[in-house]
């Protein structure tokens, strides 16, 4: 199989490594010329996470990358997807399946990423998502994990999951594209909340956060036409549990440093996803108390450069305890 991985940042470089080193596929790794992630791979053949197999073709030629692939995998910042697709669709990609290895919701519209692809002219029959738990640092040490491939196209879903599986990643067939996408994106929002609890010394609250967070996300998924129980699957709760305790999670680290009044300088997709989920909660009339608390912490509070960061963060989080008593389910 010929696979092109578009995006050579942290996750994109791992996917290229996995496809070439573990699966022995023919791999093209694309990155924009001048981009730091691309240039470091071009000049050294490695980054902080992986050393690229010599069989991988590294290029900044987008046309070459998309036209010479049987499968196109995209791994970039979710908020940049719509603009990126305008460049891709300048070429004939009508027969190419796309796999989104990204976890986010478009902040400006509240659209799922598969919807962004459809609105960019890609048939739903050619779109799949690859989501679920796992950190690169663990994978490259040979520590396995389980993940999900989902698509509206049953044959594409099964083809990808069957051909991408290995002793390092066990894939499951997803059966709820809405739930898989919303659950995967929401996991990053709750990861920020977990980091705030870590940074504030409220670690014992992470258990209730997992339980109530999944319930909240399940209600949103259901309101959007998906399955409530998808929130308890690998795409959300399984991934969130990995994030919850991981030293490698950018979103958890973002929340932890925010509680310390400091900024985390790497990409934390949960920040803009909190904004997008708040929009969806309003649109679908779903109460999202934890999401709204994370949104307020990220956008409406003064925590950075402030020695009282933890106090300010927890003041917002602990407002949840003032809500009226409700049935658990």
């Amino acid at each position: 199989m010929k696979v092109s991985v578009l995006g050579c940042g942290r996750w994109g470089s791992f996917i290229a490594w996995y496809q070439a080193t573990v699966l022995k596929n023919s791999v093209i790794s694309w990155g924009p010329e001048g981009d730091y992630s691309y240039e470091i791979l071009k000049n050294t053949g490695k980054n902080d996470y992986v050393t690229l197999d010599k069989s991988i073709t590294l290029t900044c030629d987008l046309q070459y990358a998309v036209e010479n692939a049987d499968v196109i995998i995209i791994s970039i910042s979710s908020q940049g997807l719509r603009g990126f697709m305008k460049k891709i669709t300048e070429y004939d990609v009508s027969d190419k399946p796309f796999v989104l290895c990204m976890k986010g919701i478009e902040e400006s519209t509240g659209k799922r990423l598969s919807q962004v692809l459809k609105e960019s002219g890609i048939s739903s029959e050619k779109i799949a998502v690859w989501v679920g738990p796992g950190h690169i640092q663990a994978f490259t040490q040979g520590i396995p994990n389980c993940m999900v491939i989902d698509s509206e196209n049953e044959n594409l879903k099964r083809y990808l999951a069957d051909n991408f599986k290995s002793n390092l990643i066990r894939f499951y067939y997803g059966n709820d594209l809405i739930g898989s996408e919303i659950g995967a994106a929401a996991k990053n929002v709750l990861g920020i909340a977990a980091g705030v609890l870590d940074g504030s010394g409220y670690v014992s609250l992470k258990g209730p956060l997992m339980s109530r967070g999944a319930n909240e996300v399940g209600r949103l998924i259901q309101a959007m036409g998906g399955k409530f129980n998808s929130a308890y699957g690998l795409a959300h709760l399984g991934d969130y549990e990995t994030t919850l305790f991981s030293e490698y999670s950018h979103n958890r680290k973002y929340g932890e440093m925010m509680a310390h009044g400091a900024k985390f300088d790497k990409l934390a997709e949960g920040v803009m996803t909190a904004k997008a989920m708040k929009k969806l909660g309003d649109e679908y009339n779903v109460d999202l108390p934890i999401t709204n608390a994370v949104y307020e912490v990220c956008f409406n509070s003064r925590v950075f450069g402030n020695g009282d960061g933890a106090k300010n963060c927890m003041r917002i989080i602990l407002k949840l305890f003032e809500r009226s008593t409700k049935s658990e389910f």
Side-chain angles (χ1 to χ4, degrees):
M1 183 189 299
K2 294 185 292 184
V3 176
S4 283
V5 182
L6 309 183
C8 52
R10 182 176 65 147
W11 192 240
S13 62
F14 164 73
I15 295 167
W17 175 89
Y18 176 75
Q19 291 285 336
T21 306
V22 179
L23 300 181
K24 307 301 181 184
N25 285 326
S26 174
V27 176
I28 296 171
S29 174
W30 174 90
E33 188 172 15
D35 176 74
Y36 174 78
S37 296
Y38 171 76
E39 294 297 332
I40 196 74
L41 289 174
K42 176 184 174 183
N43 293 330
T44 68
K46 61 182 181 179
N47 57 21
D48 291 341
Y49 309 101
V50 296
T51 298
L52 292 186
D53 189 275
K54 294 187 184 301
S55 67
I56 295 173
T57 300
L58 188 65
T59 184
C60 59
D61 185 337
L62 185 58
Q63 181 175 5
Y64 173 79
V66 298
E67 291 183 351
N68 287 278
D70 297 321
V71 175
I72 298 171
I73 299 175
I74 302 180
S75 180
I76 64 170
S77 169
S78 59
Q79 302 307 321
L81 181 61
R82 189 178 295 273
F84 186 49
M85 288 306 299
K86 290 179 181 178
K87 298 177 182 179
I88 290 177
T89 52
E90 291 177 5
Y91 312 110
D92 183 9
V93 292
S94 57
D95 63 336
K96 310 285 186 181
F98 284 80
V99 184
L100 294 171
C101 288
M102 306 147 65
K103 301 169 184 176
I105 302 167
E106 190 175 50
E107 176 271 324
S108 60
T109 64
K111 295 291 179 67
R112 292 177 287 116
L113 302 185
S114 67
Q115 291 177 303
V116 173
L117 254 66
K118 282 191 242 183
E119 291 178 1
S120 301
I122 307 301
S123 166
S124 60
E125 292 294 298
K126 295 290 185 181
I127 301 170
V129 300
W130 171 350
V131 295
H135 288 290
I136 297 161
Q137 296 90 333
F139 279 135
T140 54
Q141 293 175 50
I143 300 171
N145 218 316
C146 302
M147 303 188 83
V148 175
I149 299 281
D150 211 340
S151 174
E152 293 180 9
N153 182 338
E154 186 72 22
N155 291 331
L156 177 61
K157 173 199 314 180
R158 290 179 176 272
Y159 171 78
L160 292 169
D162 291 345
N163 283 280
F164 285 179
K165 69 180 180 181
S166 70
N167 289 335
L168 192 60
I169 301 178
R170 171 177 170 78
F171 280 102
Y172 286 84
Y173 308 128
N175 61 0
D176 178 17
L177 185 60
I178 293 173
S180 292
E181 289 191 271
I182 295 298
K187 156 261 178 183
N188 288 328
V189 177
L190 295 172
I192 292 175
V196 168
L197 296 179
D198 283 338
S200 305
Y202 284 71
V203 178
S204 62
L205 269 179
K206 290 204 289 187
L209 177 65
M210 288 165 58
S211 177
R212 297 311 303 163
N215 184 278
E216 175 175 313
V217 171
R219 286 187 281 107
L220 178 60
I221 290 170
Q222 188 173 47
M224 295 177 67
K227 301 175 182 177
F228 175 84
N229 284 343
S230 292
Y232 293 89
L234 286 169
H236 180 65
L237 188 59
D239 199 356
Y240 174 49
E241 288 176 328
T242 298
T243 292
L244 192 77
F245 303 106
S246 174
E247 62 183 298
Y248 305 127
S249 168
H250 281 189
N251 292 283
R252 193 206 60 78
K253 191 66 175 178
Y254 183 94
E256 182 179 22
M257 291 186 67
M258 185 163 56
H260 294 157
K263 285 191 175 181
F264 182 60
D265 60 1
K266 296 182 180 178
L267 177 67
E269 290 274 18
V271 176
M272 297 312 294
T273 302
K275 194 172 186 180
M277 283 184 64
K278 185 178 187 304
K279 184 191 299 287
L280 289 173
D282 294 341
E283 179 181 345
Y284 288 93
N285 195 28
V286 178
D287 186 25
L288 303 175
I290 298 172
T291 297
N292 291 340
V294 172
Y295 171 83
E296 188 173 346
V297 166
C298 290
F299 292 99
N300 294 337
S301 64
R302 296 180 180 179
V303 295
F304 295 122
N306 188 329
D308 292 328
K311 181 179 179 180
N312 290 336
C313 285
M314 288 311 301
R315 175 181 53 79
I316 294 169
I317 297 293
L318 290 175
K319 281 184 181 178
L320 298 174
F321 281 74
E322 299 173 5
R323 300 170 71 242
S324 61
T325 305
K326 294 177 171 59
S327 297
E328 184 177 14
F329 296 102

